[in-house]
Amino acid sequence: MIGLAVMGQNLILNMNDHGFTVCAYNRTTEKVESFLKNEAKGTKVIGAYSLEEMVSKLKKPRRIMMLVKAGSAVDDFMNKLLPLLDSGDIIIDGGNSEYTDTTRRVKEAEVKRGVLFVGCGVSGGEDGARHGPSLMPGGHPSAWPHVKNIFQSISAKAESGEPCCDWVGEGGAGHFVKMVHNGIEYGDMQLICEAYHLMKTALAMDNAQISKVFDDWNKGELDSFLVEITRDILKFKDSDGTYLVDKIRDSAGQKGTGKWTAISALEYGIPVTLIGESVFARCLSSLINERAIASNNLSGPACSTYKGEKDTFVTYIKQALYASKIVSYTQGFMLMRQAAKEFGWKLNYGGIALMWRGGCIIRSRFLGDIKKAFEREPELSNLLLDEFFKKAVSGCQEGWRQVVAHSALLGIPTPAFSSALAFYDGYRSRRLPHNLLQAQRDFFGAHTYELLSQPGKFVHTNWTGHGGNVSASTYQA
């Protein structure tokens, strides 16, 4: 294992617990010494103080896992390792690398040295790494038999006992699925924050009351890790007896995986709108100084308090959260399906839902329903068309629409709730106004259009009478 930050250390200790002997290395070798004397004291973990020493201690095929910062650090270690390794040895990148980088590294490692490269998504944070993460390996398929036992032994287990780890696919498939996981995580977090904001602002509920609501929600279909920790965060008090969450600056950070998901959605033409709005919501939160100025200069509704029955609106918020969550996962699986077409991956969508069922940040009861949907119809094109989810969304519609409408009337931003509803209404519309848009494109740019009576045949109209009859040479939808 290369990299002794918190994730690397905890994965090593997890592997040790399951009977595997691990050699630990870190570029700052003092960390190796400290780890062996403290956290790894009394274990079978051994240390190495150079890459050469580490490689010499491993039996073939050598299995080397890196948990280092994504980007150039991965390439640096890979370039240093390749001359030390033999054909059939395995390098595993367990960081949050971009899937395109992983695709490139799989090819480079094989061409340069016959080394098998694996890009493995790891989710679950510090606790998951120590006691059972969700693992999403992809890359060179010949590597899987040599790491399968290790990964499936240390991974989290679903309620059925199945490991939350299986081979995802070739090239960058593992890191792509992890990227989508993180994008969905962005969406889940934003949706929960919008629910909290509505209860706090529109309903004037205090933290204890909101925590109790999340506790109740966690006992039903919204049962999940993120709802659970939200409940605990809201009731956590600082040393002075006041709620800690109220003291935290409302400027969100991000490490890029949500942004990558949104960029990939644009590249492949898939409307992953909720995750995109979740990324932009973080960007907007970071404009904290500008927002402070704008709050004193820009007007909104005179009242931001909901005048109706409080308990009814809490139920509406729950329905909006559940329906929007369904849309978010629907969009994520749409993106994975399109990427699979682009790269020739044979993704097991039910298996991916199972991998996320335990150990990871988005683990929830809900994922079991997704797995069942793909068991019923392995070629399911869209989760919204599954009978379970179709019924679930239908049952939530009244509350969902009430929340979006009242949020707008009260001036409380709900970009994720709103974009999810707009996607749903757009997806269920037989006819959208883009016939007009196509006419506009043809009017100003001769980009052509198709007639309803002749799909596939692109024609151009001389709209003004003084334009030409020559259309654009390429057509872009």
Side-chain angles (χ1 to χ4, degrees), residues 128-366:
R130 183 66 185 85
H131 302 292
S134 170
L135 298 172
M136 296 153 257
H140 200 299
S142 298
W144 179 231
H146 302 290
V147 298
K148 179 179 179 179
N149 184 39
I150 300 172
F151 281 6
Q152 293 194 336
S153 295
I154 69 168
S155 71
K157 306 298 183 292
E159 291 173 0
S160 59
E162 294 175 90
C164 295
C165 169
D166 204 352
W167 185 252
V168 177
E170 296 186 17
H175 273 139
F176 190 92
V177 168
K178 175 57 164 55
M179 177 193 74
V180 174
H181 163 283
N182 283 26
I184 290 173
E185 179 185 311
Y186 273 55
D188 275 357
M189 294 170 75
Q190 178 64 26
L191 290 169
I192 289 170
C193 288
E194 290 178 16
Y196 156 75
H197 195 189
L198 284 166
M199 285 186 274
K200 190 88 169 173
T201 305
L203 301 179
M205 296 170 65
D206 63 30
N207 287 9
Q209 292 171 320
I210 302 173
S211 176
K212 176 63 168 61
V213 169
F214 279 109
D215 185 47
D216 291 341
W217 289 354
N218 200 49
K219 296 169 185 173
E221 61 268 23
L222 289 172
D223 167 27
S224 67
F225 171 73
L226 285 170
V227 168
E228 181 182 310
I229 67 168
T230 300
R231 172 201 67 194
D232 295 341
I233 288 168
L234 286 168
K235 64 184 180 182
F236 187 91
K237 292 186 177 180
D238 204 354
S239 55
D240 63 0
T242 59
Y243 291 109
L244 178 58
V245 70
D246 294 336
K247 300 178 180 180
I248 297 175
R249 197 165 182 258
D250 55 317
S251 178
Q254 53 183 312
K255 291 189 174 179
T257 44
K259 179 179 72 175
W260 296 345
T261 308
I263 291 171
S264 294
L266 289 170
E267 286 178 347
Y268 302 129
I270 301 299
V272 185
T273 54
L274 193 148
I275 293 170
E277 287 294 347
S278 300
V279 174
F280 286 132
R282 293 195 189 194
C283 297
L284 182 59
S285 79
S286 70
L287 303 177
I288 191 164
N289 294 327
E290 291 183 44
R291 289 191 290 112
I293 295 169
S295 68
N296 293 321
N297 287 276
L298 302 180
S299 63
C303 179
S304 60
T305 303
Y306 179 71
K307 300 298 184 182
E309 212 280 319
K310 181 182 290 188
D311 289 342
T312 300
F313 199 64
V314 168
T315 300
Y316 288 161
I317 295 171
K318 178 184 179 182
Q319 291 174 345
L321 179 56
Y322 187 38
S324 299
K325 185 181 176 80
I326 291 171
V327 167
S328 181
Y329 283 69
T330 294
Q331 293 178 353
F333 276 84
M334 287 170 66
L335 180 56
M336 288 190 288
R337 184 175 291 281
Q338 185 60 34
K341 289 179 183 177
E342 295 281 341
F343 294 101
W345 298 333
K346 293 179 173 60
L347 300 184
N348 179 346
Y349 302 104
I352 290 168
L354 175 66
M355 278 186 260
W356 294 346
R357 186 68 182 84
C360 68
I361 304 303
I362 64 171
R363 62 183 180 267
S364 63
R365 177 187 299 186
F366 176 86

Side-chain angles (χ1 to χ4, degrees), residues 382-448:
N382 191 295
L383 280 175
L384 290 173
L385 301 179
D386 173 74
E387 285 301 319
F388 175 87
F389 289 110
K390 185 162 59 173
K391 184 178 179 181
V393 171
S394 178
C396 290
Q397 273 200 67
E398 180 187 357
W400 194 10
R401 296 184 187 281
Q402 288 280 353
V403 165
V404 171
H406 279 94
S407 297
L409 290 170
L410 297 172
I412 299 172
T414 54
F417 285 154
S418 302
S419 68
L421 182 57
F423 171 86
Y424 177 75
D425 284 337
Y427 187 69
R428 68 178 187 82
S429 295
R430 182 179 291 273
R431 189 117 166 109
L432 289 169
H434 294 79
N435 53 322
L436 174 58
L437 189 147
Q438 281 299 90
Q440 291 169 335
R441 295 179 74 240
D442 190 53
F443 188 109
F444 66 69
H447 291 297
T448 74

